Each structure stands twice: as structure tokens, then as C-alpha cells.
Amino acid sequence: MPERTSYVPGTPSWVDVQSPDTKAAADFYGRLFGWEADLDPRPEAGGYGMFTLRGKLVAGLGPLTGPDVPPCWSVYVSVEDADATLATATSKGAFVVAGPMDVFDAGRMAVLRDPVGSFISIWQPGEHIGAELVNEAGTFTWNELATTDLPAARSFYSAVFGWGVDAGHGGDDAAIFTVDGNVTCGAHTAGEGEFPAWSVWFAVDDCDSSTAKASELGASTLMPPNDMDFGRGAVLSDPHGAVFGIGAMK
């Protein structure tokens, strides 16, 4: 369902982008996806803001969190207890990057690096559940992990988030993860030159025209539009270097 008021624990529920120029990023994504940006003016918010579509929250936006952090999109998984989840993650070999910490009354979060090297965030919802619109044009629709050790990644995420693995999809080099039997995200063995990381994919009505529009707005095309299992997809890099995918779903 496109509109969401809650997420089953273990479900990716939020995405945000770190950018060296939040105003320029807000303009780029606003023109590409029709989003409106609202940057929090409070100093304690650190310049973080929210993207909305039709008045519903769809993604976050903030400045780079450190001098060595590149522009990037991040994935947050909804959990019941951030502290307990983090304890499980560290017992399975994860490294704590930040947190756990409260984010005003919005919720409680932490950032970790999995044992294979990919970054993932956890989100214990308070007033903020995550994205209020998903799986429609202009909203995030899929998260995919590229990893250099797929068996280790499967074992880690299943232990930490309770994910199942869909036996009908994937194989030696890919996996489809499930929560309560429902498909929620995927993983694959990273190809040559592919950095271990979680990616964010956004739904569009027309992959080719959206790719062309992104290019006009200053984006780079890392993978041109092509037919894929889910429909037609492309991988882009925004004008500051944050990588994301777009897909016209079947």
C-alpha cells in the first residue's frame, strides 16, 4: 500500500541523503521527483530536513556528517528496540558508527557497519514512523545490498532483523529478504568495482524520460535504462555524487 501509518519491525522504513549542499540537493530532487523540502531551522537539528510529496513524508535530507563521509543515500530499518537491536548486531560482528541516540521525540536511532562493510541504520519510531508514502512514483520502493560475502550478509541480517530468505528467488549470487513472509528488500554479490553498500531505489512512471530529466538537472548515469526483473531501471548519481536507482515497475 502506498500510504503507511506504521511498519512491521524489520522493514526498511526511511531513507535520507547526505549532501554538501542541501539547498542544491533539495532543488535537484524537487525537480526530479516533485518533492518539496522543509529544512529544520533549529540549530540542534543540524540542518536536517524532510522531503514531502503531496504533503506526506517520503525521505530525509541533511548535510555531510563528517569530513570523510561522501554524499550518499542511507537506509533505515524499523525496530522495536534500538538498543537491543544494536546489542544483537554487535554480538554478530557489527561495528557501531553512531548512537544509539534519541532524535527529539521523533524516535531513537543508531548507525552500524555490518561485518562485511556496508552501512545500515536502525530506527525505533516515536512520532516519526518513517516514510508515509512508498511504492509509487516519486517514492522509495526498494533497497538492495551489494556485498562481497553474501552468505555472511544473509546470516547477519537474518539474526539481527529476523529476515527470512525467499527460497523461490535469488540463488548463489542473490537473495530476496522477507519479513513475516512478505518481500522487503534484496541483496547480491557485488560485481567488479562495485562497493559494498545498501542502495535506494525510487519508483518512476517512465525510466527513460526520468533518466533524461535527471541528466538535464546535472546527474550522471552510472547504468543506463535497461530491462530488469522488476521492470525497467537505471542507476544515477546526483550532481554531488550520491548514488540512487530509479525503476518503472511492472
Side-chain angles (χ1 to χ4, degrees):
M1 298 190 308
E3 292 196 21
R4 302 297 299 265
T5 57
S6 65
Y7 287 89
V8 175
T11 305
S13 61
W14 186 244
V15 296
D16 62 17
V17 63
Q18 295 185 43
S19 176
D21 188 335
T22 53
K23 289 185 178 180
D27 180 69
F28 170 78
Y29 289 104
R31 294 169 69 184
L32 180 61
F33 293 134
W35 293 348
E36 295 185 1
D38 181 16
L39 297 177
D40 194 324
R42 295 174 293 178
E44 59 269 30
Y48 196 85
M50 301 287 193
F51 285 118
T52 60
L53 180 66
R54 302 198 312 275
K56 300 289 187 179
L57 295 174
V58 292
L61 166 68
L64 300 180
T65 55
D68 298 325
V69 177
C72 61
W73 278 94
S74 299
V75 178
Y76 294 72
V77 178
S78 188
V79 299
E80 287 186 285
D81 187 322
D83 297 72
T85 301
L86 198 59
T88 299
T90 54
S91 75
K92 298 300 180 179
F95 173 79
V96 179
V97 178
M101 55 189 170
D102 292 324
V103 184
F104 304 113
D105 295 327
R108 187 166 174 81
M109 67 164 289
V111 182
L112 58 88
R113 189 174 67 222
D114 74 24
V116 191
S118 299
F119 293 89
I120 189 80
S121 298
I122 56 178
W123 181 254
Q124 178 185 327
E127 293 184 353
H128 175 61
I129 64 153
E132 295 172 335
L133 279 180
V134 295
N135 301 329
E136 67 171 55
T139 70
F140 93 85
T141 190
W142 186 250
N143 301 119
E144 178 84 10
L145 172 67
T147 180
T148 55
D149 189 337
L150 185 58
R154 278 197 300 251
S155 176
F156 173 78
Y157 287 102
S158 294
V160 174
F161 297 125
W163 290 350
V165 177
D166 189 336
H169 296 83
D172 292 339
D173 295 323
I176 298 295
F177 293 116
T178 62
V179 174
D180 288 349
N182 297 311
V183 170
T184 186
C185 57
H188 66 271
T189 299
E192 185 176 352
E194 188 175 13
F195 189 76
W198 279 95
S199 63
V200 179
W201 288 72
F202 298 96
V204 295
D205 288 323
D206 187 314
C207 182
D208 294 74
S209 63
S210 292
T211 299
K213 184 175 183 179
S215 180
E216 293 173 1
L217 296 172
S220 299
T221 301
L222 304 182
M223 183 186 78
N226 66 99
D227 294 328
M228 306 175 76
D229 290 343
F230 60 79
R232 190 162 176 82
V235 178
L236 310 173
S237 173
D238 76 17
H240 295 105
V243 176
F244 61 99
I246 58 172
M249 307 301 170
K250 292 179 180 178

